[in-house]
Amino acid sequence: MNQPYLKFEQIGMSFRRGQMETEVLRDVNLHIDQGEFVSMIGHSGCGKSTLLNILGGLLQSTTGEVFLEGKVVDEPGPDRAIVFQNHSLLPWLTVYGNIAIAVDKVFGGFQGKGKTKAERHDWVMHNLELVQMAQAKDKRPHEVSGGMKQRVGIARALAMQPKVLLMDEPFGALDALTRAHLQDSVMEIHAKLGNTVLMITHDVDEAVLLSDRVVMMTNGPAATIGEILAIELPRPRRRLELATDPEYARCRAAVLEFLYARHRVPARAAA
Amino acid sequence: MQAAKVVASVVAAVPVSGTTAEIVAFRPPMRPALERIASAARHTVSVVLPPLIVMSITLLVWQLLCSEPGARLPPPTKVVSDAWDFIVHPFYDNGGIDKGAFWQISKSLGRVGIGFSFAAVVGIALGVLVGQSTWAMRGLDPIFQVLRTVPPLAWLPLSLAGFRDSNPSALFVIFITSIWPIIINTSVGVRNIPQDYRNVAAVIRLSWWEVFYKITLPATVPYIFTGLRIGVGLSWLAIVAAEMLIGGVGIGFFIWDAWNSSRISDIIVALVYIGIVGFLLDKLIATVGHFVSHGVSAQ
């Protein structure tokens, strides 16, 4: 089987509001291999989040299909767990409860993947430890910092053992230091588990540092993939060493060049 | 109390700290303890004093206004002396409707309890329905908006005609009075559930029933309790009025009966009781709501 692991085929998306029809995406084609870490970068309004939501099953594309392991994606599911930008933890549940609600649903009951109660507990704790949040398991979301909330959000997504991990600007709302910590954590987890990851970001450094490939989107409306840049830096990557690495600088410059020289004015094309 | 605690800590400190250090160890706790008492006292005074002053002035003005001969309303001193029996014997029961304040109020509270419980269950259910379904909202919301403005007592003749009995009619009036704010607040709460929570539910594939009790209910709890608070207040307003009309035991009819027998002082005492009970009902629902919605409103 030469089928790619994850395939976007001719994805197009239009939103209709009354008489107005806005075409957000047009002809998006993308193949992602298993274990690959792919970032998607572009100016705001270029439809990155829309594309991620189509993969997540939260939106239905107007044209084209997404295939995951050869199967059409048409509804949300735990095999495409999402790390939301604003963490989306349920405030009335503890940190532990927020992960347990997902674990109990995905691995509880009689559906194939069943685990016993003790196994599910261990699995929740395992994932909390993975993001270094085990000590805060009984806290409620409003009692922990923004970075910690996002760690829990990541743990919840990882706990579903997704085929693809979707991250929608996961670190956008965090300060620079916290963001760097979490980026390192994500790199470690990716090295350990080898997940397939599709991440949306605004941050050029983040994209280059974390990804195997950076997908650059043209500006909307009717945005599509402008260019794909392979980042061939060896892993593990360390941000301090990379700061002076010529290859890193080249990749970074390439993304910046795409975003700010060639696709500079997002709003003007809209008219 | 405080002094005893301090002494105890000193005794406990001696064997632990050994030779001369116990004096150093025991001094600092003294001062903060005293200061804490002082600041707590200051705080209490600043909270308790203003209402005390205002109440005293009110009573004084009332006393002065109603003291002259021929005054139509009794002054506070006369209220207390007239209604002394009613105040100090809340538990008397001479049969019929001649019962103490406790029995009158508990009868009314019982009615509110039953009518309000029905309203809570039905109101929350309808609120969730209206909040979740656009069709249900379009169909039902106009009806709700019109019916909720009907004054409670306007329902009484109709319910008497329907039930042909005073007690269920009173319950129905309570129900129909308190249900609207519960429905409306619940539906607003359901409509305001962040899309994020729905997305989470969709990704982990909760069934509709799990979405209801794991996401919808907890996320809506603060709104529900706002509705319940308004509802319980309204039902307490309505029961007194309804009881005046249907008769029997109950604080509402007690007032009417007192008026008919010109016991103005009893009326005034009953009013105070009604106010206090209404206040406590509100606080009760607020406390339960605070406890149940722990963490939700903190977001």
Side-chain angles (χ1 to χ4, degrees), chain B residues 55 57 70 84 114 125 149 175 184-185 196 228 244 251 297:
Chain B
M55 204 143 63
I57 293 176
W84 186 249
I114 296 169
T149 64
F175 170 84
I184 290 166
N185 278 283
D196 303 335
L228 290 178
M244 285 189 179
I251 195 72
S297 39

Side-chain angles (χ1 to χ4, degrees), chain A residues 2-271:
Chain A
N2 232 348
Q3 188 78 260
Y5 188 64
L6 174 64
K7 181 164 78 170
F8 291 87
E9 201 172 83
Q10 290 294 112
I11 297 291
M13 186 73 188
S14 309
F15 289 105
R16 183 186 283 276
R17 183 176 288 166
Q19 298 280 307
M20 290 274 289
E21 189 169 315
T22 324
E23 191 178 18
V24 179
L25 292 169
R26 182 190 289 168
D27 298 342
V28 176
N29 290 294
L30 178 66
H31 293 183
I32 295 177
D33 291 328
Q34 187 161 14
E36 220 181 348
F37 196 123
V38 175
S39 295
M40 201 166 269
I41 196 164
H43 292 287
S44 14
C46 73
K48 328 183 273 294
S49 286
T50 308
L51 194 60
L52 184 114
N53 284 337
I54 291 171
L55 171 56
L58 298 171
L59 290 174
Q60 295 286 326
S61 61
T62 319
T63 62
E65 299 281 6
V66 180
F67 297 92
L68 177 59
E69 288 190 315
K71 281 191 221 107
V72 174
V73 164
D74 55 3
E75 58 171 358
D79 57 341
R80 284 153 285 123
I82 304 176
V83 178
F84 297 95
Q85 177 176 16
N86 53 357
H87 64 75
S88 295
L89 300 180
L90 304 175
W92 55 88
L93 295 177
T94 59
V95 163
Y96 179 92
N98 265 288
I99 298 177
I101 190 178
V103 169
D104 287 348
K105 184 62 193 173
V106 177
F107 298 108
F110 310 99
Q111 318 139 321
K113 283 175 163 182
K115 289 182 192 249
T116 66
K117 213 173 165 194
E119 283 171 337
R120 294 203 300 266
H121 168 78
D122 291 346
W123 182 240
V124 172
M125 290 313 294
H126 170 78
N127 281 283
L128 278 174
E129 275 153 26
L130 207 57
V131 295
Q132 296 142 35
M133 283 296 292
Q135 77 290 347
K137 74 182 177 72
D138 294 321
K139 293 227 163 79
R140 283 177 203 274
H142 64 91
E143 295 169 317
V144 302
S145 68
M148 291 164 111
K149 280 181 206 151
Q150 198 51 284
R151 282 177 189 276
V152 180
I154 293 170
R156 177 175 62 188
L158 288 173
M160 299 179 213
Q161 286 195 315
K163 291 177 181 159
V164 199
L165 180 64
L166 313 186
M167 302 173 97
D168 190 355
E169 292 180 39
F171 315 128
L174 304 175
D175 65 88
L177 288 174
T178 314
R179 189 184 307 179
H181 273 298
L182 274 175
Q183 287 165 352
D184 291 346
S185 291
V186 165
M187 275 197 287
E188 268 170 41
I189 290 166
H190 180 242
K192 207 185 284 177
L193 305 179
N195 322 67
T196 311
V197 184
L198 179 64
M199 180 180 76
I200 284 177
T201 180
H202 273 130
D203 182 335
V204 176
D205 286 298
E206 180 171 287
V208 175
L209 178 67
L210 295 180
S211 320
D212 297 314
R213 283 189 296 160
V214 177
V215 173
M216 291 170 265
M217 303 283 290
T218 62
N219 292 318
T224 190
I225 293 174
E227 206 171 290
I228 299 179
L229 177 72
I231 313 284
E232 275 156 7
L233 293 163
R235 289 177 188 272
R237 297 172 184 166
R238 275 180 261 278
R239 67 178 67 241
L240 278 180
E241 293 163 18
L242 287 177
T244 50
D245 187 296
E247 174 65 10
Y248 180 83
R250 188 190 68 79
C251 292
R252 201 172 170 276
V255 178
L256 285 172
E257 148 86 12
F258 178 90
L259 287 178
Y260 297 105
R262 275 184 283 158
H263 294 273
R264 191 168 176 199
V265 199
R268 197 148 306 166

